Amino acid sequence: MALIVQRFALSIGLLFAVSLMIFGGVEALPGDFATTYLGQSATPQAIENIRKDLGLDQPATTRYVQWLGGAIKGDFGKSWASRNSVSEQIGKRLGNSLFLAFFAAIISVPLAVGLGMLAVQYRNRLPDKIINVISLAAISLPEFFVGYLLILFFAVKMGIATFPATVYDSMTLGQRLSAIALPTATLVLVVLAHMMRMTRAAILNVMSSAYVETAELKGLSGLRIIARHAAPNAVAPVINVIALNLAYLVVGVVVVEVVFVYPGMGQYMVDAVTVRDMPVVQACGLIFAAFYIFLNMFADILAIVANPRLRHPR
């Protein structure tokens, strides 16, 4: 319990530090929203009125405290560009991003663990070598390149996939799944190889243990030894790498959403950067950071629970 409380407190402190970095980074950006919004021909008085209306005439520390206080309550203020509530807009967009990340996760995680166990079963043989070559190729390709290749072959040439990946409220589940087929496939290909290779390495690390040799001497099949004896003892590093990739599925959707014109958090953030809508940029950055930090905290807690030496310290 002490370790779990320590991890939780560390995550809260880290999120606070990240909020400072996000706000400070946005403040340090060159240019000014008022000038961008009104254009180069705007008069100094008009620019000053916009700045006063948005509260930009207040000290940075005052604005940070107000922003953080609102964020803790779930209120990220209003968009400078559209004057709509940022929290309401993010609520819609975040649901779309989580929908995409969820289906990418339920495909990639079991597939990665299964392929990792298969590679260990046939290590240094043809199946293992094929899996390693394909995984290295997948790791080497950036997600935007993979996305454009999938669009070229499946949407343009073969015409069997939907592009752009547009979703809206009145769509059925089947229509939504059809729309996100290509972005989901892109995310799966990007994260699958890393998870698979780490699963393989973690299981191979325990295959030389005495209890594994005992299981082999008992005549158990190789796949049963891996599944029943080796894999459970390699769960801690596997959980960590899965959590990192799940965090990437939420945070890393920015590029994939832009490529497929998907109406999620990433696309919303990029559009806000284009018009210098800083409340939206700050809110998206903080939410992405929160997902990344707390998924890693959750992985640490699961690793503690899965490790008897940490559960029962001497």
Side-chain angles (χ1 to χ4, degrees):
M1 285 303 298
L3 283 171
I4 291 173
V5 171
Q6 183 184 15
R7 293 294 192 280
F8 185 77
L10 182 63
S11 299
I12 295 295
L14 185 57
L15 187 58
F16 173 73
V18 169
S19 72
L20 276 172
M21 292 178 64
I22 291 171
F23 189 87
V26 168
E27 284 293 307
L29 289 174
D32 182 74
F33 172 78
T35 305
T36 305
Y37 184 70
L38 295 175
Q40 296 296 327
S41 59
T43 63
Q45 185 60 47
I47 292 175
E48 185 61 29
N49 290 338
I50 287 288
R51 289 180 59 82
K52 187 174 182 179
D53 184 46
L54 298 176
L56 295 175
D57 57 331
Q58 299 178 5
T61 53
T62 303
R63 286 186 283 117
Y64 170 74
V65 171
Q66 292 175 347
W67 172 69
L68 186 62
I72 292 172
K73 295 183 290 186
D75 180 13
F76 292 102
K78 291 187 178 295
S79 165
W80 289 353
S82 66
R83 299 293 181 164
N84 294 324
S85 169
V86 175
S87 301
E88 291 179 4
Q89 294 296 314
I90 283 178
K92 299 175 183 177
R93 299 288 189 129
L94 182 59
N96 289 339
S97 291
L98 292 178
F99 181 77
L100 176 60
F102 172 75
F103 281 98
I106 62 174
I107 294 171
S108 59
V109 172
L111 193 58
V113 174
L115 286 175
M117 294 170 62
L118 187 66
V120 173
Q121 169 69 10
Y122 296 100
R123 58 188 179 278
N124 300 325
R125 286 187 274 175
L126 185 61
D128 182 30
K129 292 178 181 179
I130 292 174
I131 291 173
N132 276 320
V133 169
I134 294 175
S135 65
L136 282 172
I139 290 173
S140 303
L141 298 175
E143 58 265 39
F144 68 87
F145 184 72
V146 174
Y148 285 133
L149 283 180
L150 293 179
I151 292 170
L152 175 64
F153 285 106
F154 293 101
V156 177
K157 291 193 173 181
M158 301 175 67
I160 60 175
T162 303
F163 178 81
T166 304
V167 296
Y168 44 88
D169 294 338
S170 60
M171 293 179 76
T172 64
L173 179 60
Q175 290 172 329
R176 281 175 172 264
L177 292 177
S178 175
I180 67 168
L182 289 183
T184 300
T186 303
L187 287 171
V188 168
L189 289 173
V190 169
V191 302
L192 177 65
H194 187 218
M195 285 193 290
M196 188 279 297
R197 290 179 66 82
M198 289 301 296
T199 301
R200 178 184 181 274
I203 295 175
L204 279 177
N205 191 44
V206 300
M207 285 298 288
S208 59
S209 303
Y211 59 86
V212 173
E213 294 178 1
T214 303
E216 290 173 346
L217 292 173
K218 287 181 178 179
L220 298 179
S221 65
L223 199 57
R224 187 177 180 185
I225 291 172
I226 293 169
R228 294 288 299 274
H229 298 279
N233 289 282
V235 71
V238 172
I239 286 174
N240 279 313
V241 75
I242 288 175
L244 282 170
N245 281 277
L246 289 180
Y248 174 80
L249 285 176
V250 178
V251 178
V253 294
V254 175
V255 174
V256 174
E257 287 181 1
V258 172
V259 168
F260 290 96
V261 201
Y262 183 75
M265 283 278 290
Q267 183 69 57
Y268 187 43
M269 184 176 181
V270 170
D271 292 342
V273 170
T274 304
V275 297
R276 303 189 66 79
D277 194 350
M278 294 315 169
V280 176
V281 175
Q282 290 172 178
C284 291
L286 190 64
I287 290 171
F288 282 145
F291 268 103
Y292 205 91
I293 290 168
F294 284 106
L295 276 172
N296 278 280
M297 180 196 73
F298 184 64
D300 284 343
I301 292 173
L302 285 181
I304 291 169
V305 173
N307 192 334
R309 288 173 295 182
L310 294 177
R311 291 203 312 269
H312 309 287
R314 293 180 179 178

